């Protein structure tokens, strides 16, 4: 089943698209307030249409950030979160002149989980005047841009996703012990969204190690492609 959501349905906030295929600002919302269920449903519907949404100039604290996130489902705890942190559901990322970002590659969060999360809700606290952008890629559009023959081929494939590829070194953990907690997972190369019915590529440079059933040379080429 494919769900089509007209932009005109959003009457309680303004939707301002940022690119032709992905991203929109949702204007006229105050996330510090207790939003009703209908508003949360509209925000989720806007997310389905635009894939990533932005809320500008919000004055919220950590508790309000968590309360808003919980309206979309249970929250996970990332293994990179310090154990003694008061709110383990929040993963704090801080960088500056002496700490370069290590997240600067194309990835989809936690694809190494058996059931990856719906998404992430980022709250920017301090940003540079120039740069510091977080970029997003439309994997629906990436799939749609493939030839029909390639689409048919990749829909038959599965790929492995491995937490150790990134986090063994970052967490200073032995790979085998890390895999005891988080075994290598297999996901389809093309996933169909259960709510919209749209197909998108589900591989990334961060955690996808290989495509099953192909030689290493073929797998490397296809992932690079």
């Amino acid at each position: 089943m494919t769900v089509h959501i007209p932009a005109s349905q959003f009457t309680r906030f303004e939707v301002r698209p940022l690119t032709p295929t992905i991203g929109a600002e949702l204007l006229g919302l105050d996330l510090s307030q207790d939003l009703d269920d209908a508003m949360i449903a509209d925000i989720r519907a806007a997310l389905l249409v635009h894939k990533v949404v932005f809320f500008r100039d919000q004055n919220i604290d950590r508790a309000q950030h968590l309360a808003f996130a919980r309206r979309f489902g249970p929250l996970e705890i990332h293994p990179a979160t310090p154990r003694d942190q008061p709110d383990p559901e929040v993963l704090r990322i801080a960088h500056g002149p002496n700490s370069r970002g290590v997240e600067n590659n194309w990835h989809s969060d936690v694809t190494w989980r058996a059931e990856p999360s719906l998404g992430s809700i980022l709250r920017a606290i301090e940003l540079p005047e120039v740069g510091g952008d977080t970029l997003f890629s439309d994997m629906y559009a990436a799939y749609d841009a493939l030839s029909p023959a390639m689409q048919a081929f990749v829909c038959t494939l599965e790929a492995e996703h491995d937490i150790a590829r990134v986090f063994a070194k970052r967490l200073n953990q032995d790979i085998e012990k890390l895999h005891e907690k988080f075994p290598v997972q297999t996901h389809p190369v093309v996933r169909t969204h259960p709510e919209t019915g749209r197909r998108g590529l589900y591989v990334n440079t961060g955690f996808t190690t290989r495509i099953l059933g192909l030689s290493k040379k073929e797998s490397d080429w296809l992932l690079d492609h």
Side-chain angles (χ1 to χ4, degrees):
M1 177 180 178
T2 301
V3 179
H4 297 284
I5 305 172
S8 59
Q9 89 156 48
F10 304 115
T11 58
R12 300 175 67 185
F13 51 79
E14 179 187 352
V15 178
R16 183 178 297 171
L18 296 174
T19 78
T21 73
I22 185 172
E25 294 178 335
L26 304 189
L27 307 177
L29 286 160
D30 183 354
L31 302 188
S32 69
Q33 301 300 309
D34 186 16
L35 304 179
D36 59 43
D37 291 343
M39 181 70 84
I40 295 297
D42 280 351
I43 292 172
R44 186 182 177 98
L47 178 64
L48 291 178
V49 174
H50 297 284
K51 299 104 175 177
V52 56
V53 294
F54 303 88
F55 307 91
R56 300 297 188 191
D57 303 317
Q58 299 292 324
N59 184 22
I60 62 173
D61 58 22
R62 179 177 286 199
Q64 292 166 325
H65 181 190
L66 284 165
F68 177 64
R70 287 193 174 98
R71 300 296 299 276
F72 298 90
L75 305 184
E76 68 174 66
I77 298 175
H78 197 283
T81 304
R83 293 184 178 181
D84 58 350
Q85 183 175 292
D87 298 302
E89 300 90 352
V90 175
L91 177 61
R92 183 176 181 271
I93 300 174
H95 294 299
N98 300 318
S99 173
R100 296 184 60 184
V102 294
E103 300 82 17
N104 298 333
N105 55 33
W106 290 113
H107 66 280
S108 183
D109 289 339
V110 300
T111 62
W112 39 264
R113 290 194 186 276
E115 296 183 10
S117 55
L118 166 69
S120 303
I121 300 180
L122 308 180
R123 179 166 65 102
I125 298 174
E126 182 180 357
L127 294 173
E129 293 184 4
V130 178
D133 302 305
T134 297
L135 305 180
F136 298 87
S137 180
D138 185 345
M139 301 304 277
Y140 290 155
Y143 172 79
D144 291 343
L146 298 175
S147 67
M150 181 62 82
Q151 288 179 347
F153 175 54
V154 296
C155 280
T156 68
L157 301 175
E158 293 183 329
E160 288 187 345
H161 298 249
D162 187 354
I163 185 176
R165 185 179 174 96
V166 172
F167 285 103
K169 182 177 180 180
R170 192 180 304 183
L171 299 177
N172 193 27
Q173 288 196 15
D174 178 78
I175 292 177
E176 291 185 2
K177 290 184 177 180
L178 192 58
H179 282 162
E180 289 177 4
K181 295 181 180 179
F182 307 103
V184 174
Q185 298 296 330
T186 299
H187 296 298
V189 169
V190 176
R191 302 202 72 164
T192 302
H193 197 287
E195 293 169 274
T196 67
R198 293 198 64 183
R199 289 177 172 176
L201 294 179
Y202 200 68
V203 293
N204 66 90
T205 60
F207 304 114
T208 309
T209 54
R210 67 187 182 106
I211 296 177
L212 300 179
L214 302 184
S215 69
K216 184 180 186 305
K217 182 177 181 180
E218 292 168 336
S219 174
D220 289 348
W221 176 86
L222 188 55
L223 288 173
D224 286 343
H225 180 68

